Amino acid sequence: MSNSDLKNINVAKFGGTSVANFGAMENCANIVKNNSTTRVVVVSASAGVTNLLVDIANTAMSKEQIRQRLADIEAIQYAIVADLENTDEVVDKLEQLLTSLTDLALHEEIIHRADLKDALLSHGERMSSLLFSQVLKQVGVVAENFDVRNVLKTDNQFGKATPDLEQIKTATQSIMQPSLANTVFVTQGFIGSDADGNTTTLGRGGSDFTAALLAEALDAATCEIWTDVIGVYTTDPRITDAARPLPELSFEEAAEMATFGAKVLHPATMEPALRQNIKVFVGSSREPEKGGTWIVKDCETEPAYRAITRRKEQVMVTVKTPKMMYAQGFLQKVFTIIAKHKLSVDLITTSEICVSFTLDNPANSVLERLNQATIEELGQFCEVLVEENYDLVTVVGNNMHSAAGVSSKIFAAVADYNLRMICYGANPHNLSVLVSDKDSSDVVCALHDALFA
Ligand code: ADP
Ligand code: ASP
Ligand code: MG
């Protein structure tokens, strides 16, 4: 590769469906081959594997049930091996991974220890990256399988570890940078390691974040997120056929969409991109010729409405005290307890005697964490009502708080639905409504018709 390519390197990330089987991996390998600036490839676990691993990690089950899931995982990976021309280099390593995976899966404390869970989960990405590096070699690309845990340093919050940006920068510059001209690194998304060398994970969907972090640390010019859709759409194309792909988005819009539920990007993905001004591309590995969405600092357009997102499984808590009017420090007391239990508050509304707030459910764990202890603690000084089965629907756009007619158009579109909570004006990029999960698809469709038809 030329020196100019090295100054403009690209980090390409391929999601689970893109590395689900040999054919899908071959499409990805050709995408890498056709862009000589791609020097780092980040892969997710093959589709289905992480879900099976999460199941083993979180559900009490018999040894036989565990072995069945392990067999399913093995079958997914060996179906890929079956299509490799040269298996010498991978089979031993794959067998070693399957052995350590089996040991962890059958470990007596697997469902109780967060460190073991992360070690278990890491096997999905470690296996897929091993196999994908071989597929790349098969299409003629010089590539090596690289253990991202050497560089992706994090704290030790297992399950949702926070990356240590400085250490990542130093390690990638010293370990990866010198070889970028000679080889394509094929590495794992989603996983990292703490100061003691324990394996950590970044949270579900975290491979996008890994790609952006490596792009930042290596001063990359671009970061490509290859997935199963031809870009970021006006809304999740699984909700309505009317959704259409967007050619361009700003960092802020994309960050907002990701935060408010557009699963196509992990919510933290845009942070490194924004800090380092790295252009992010989203496209389909099955149909790369169809192009995709470019996420950039400055867009040509700044429409009032850009997209609609939905975040599912929101929990609403209402705390009520007849004395609130006079009770100074009531809110502080409530939020101290919430913070102590590591719950993060999202939307808030207040009245004289009531405060309602929603709690996000990023890793499907709010209900687990909003346990009896939290409720009892709150219950010592107020009435507590917990309501489930809500979704948050958000319109993402620009200058929404100051543009005339924005709110009236949105509220007219959803006039037939019960809006349990509304958040508007705190941020120029969004307007959110909390609705029953039974209504949320219809609310998204109604908004889409009104704003994008
Ligand atoms: P990957 O495994 O490649 O990371 P994900 O399943 O995490 O893929 O993300 C892709 C999915 O995100 C799409 O299949 C789509 O259903 C969903 N999605 C949600 N909102 C959007 C949106 N606004 N635009 C595109 N896809 C979206
Ligand atoms: N394999 C992980 C998951 O399924 C990470 C990712 O795919 O981004 O959540
Ligand atoms: Mg994803």
Side-chain angles (χ1 to χ4, degrees), residues 13-18 44-45 47 205 207-208 225-239 243-244 246 257 261-266 282 307-310:
K13 176 259 173 176
F14 297 96
T17 47
S18 301
S44 292
S207 298
D208 305 327
I225 305 291
W226 293 99
T227 179
D228 60 356
V229 281
I230 56 170
V232 180
Y233 282 60
T234 47
T235 194
D236 186 345
R238 287 184 207 199
I239 302 179
R244 51 185 161 75
L246 296 158
M257 287 182 71
K263 189 184 165 229
V264 63
L265 291 170
H266 179 275
V282 178
I308 300 161
T309 60
R310 171 173 69 180

Side-chain angles (χ1 to χ4, degrees), residues 279-426:
K279 291 183 189 157
V280 176
F281 172 86
V282 178
S284 160
S285 63
R286 206 157 47 91
E287 302 173 294
E289 70 288 351
K290 292 210 167 149
T293 304
W294 277 103
I295 306 170
V296 295
K297 186 159 165 262
D298 297 306
C299 275
E300 277 183 17
T301 57
E302 272 200 351
Y305 317 110
R306 182 71 90 179
I308 300 161
T309 60
R310 171 173 69 180
R311 212 167 57 190
K312 295 182 76 65
E313 293 177 51
Q314 307 298 290
V315 176
M316 180 162 106
V317 180
T318 302
V319 288
K320 182 175 171 185
T321 162
K323 298 192 212 85
M324 186 177 159
M325 274 194 298
Y326 313 107
Q328 281 185 354
F330 173 69
L331 282 182
Q332 192 190 357
K333 251 164 127 181
V334 170
F335 291 124
T336 303
I337 292 170
I338 294 294
K340 191 173 100 187
H341 291 269
K342 294 211 159 73
L343 292 159
S344 76
V345 170
D346 222 28
L347 307 194
I348 307 180
T349 58
T350 60
S351 72
E352 246 175 336
I353 58 161
C354 268
V355 184
S356 297
F357 48 87
T358 62
L359 300 168
D360 184 22
N361 189 358
N364 293 333
S365 63
V366 163
L367 283 178
E368 233 169 76
R369 289 212 215 116
L370 184 69
N371 50 25
Q372 216 40 45
T374 325
I375 296 168
E376 270 168 24
E377 215 170 314
L378 288 168
Q380 282 166 16
F381 60 97
C382 54
E383 269 175 48
V384 188
L385 177 69
V386 179
E387 294 172 69
E388 297 164 34
N389 308 325
Y390 287 114
D391 291 349
L392 189 69
V393 175
T394 301
V395 180
V396 174
N398 297 280
N399 304 316
M400 296 179 70
H401 58 327
S402 54
V406 166
S407 57
S408 57
K409 195 162 178 181
I410 290 173
F411 293 131
V414 296
D416 292 344
Y417 303 94
N418 179 24
L419 309 182
R420 196 61 188 76
M421 221 166 172
I422 296 164
C423 182
Y424 177 46

Side-chain angles (χ1 to χ4, degrees), residues 176-195:
M176 298 177 86
Q177 187 77 39
S179 309
L180 283 183
N182 313 321
T183 190
V184 172
F185 287 97
V186 179
T187 198
Q188 308 80 31
F190 179 53
I191 73 173
S193 71
D194 72 6

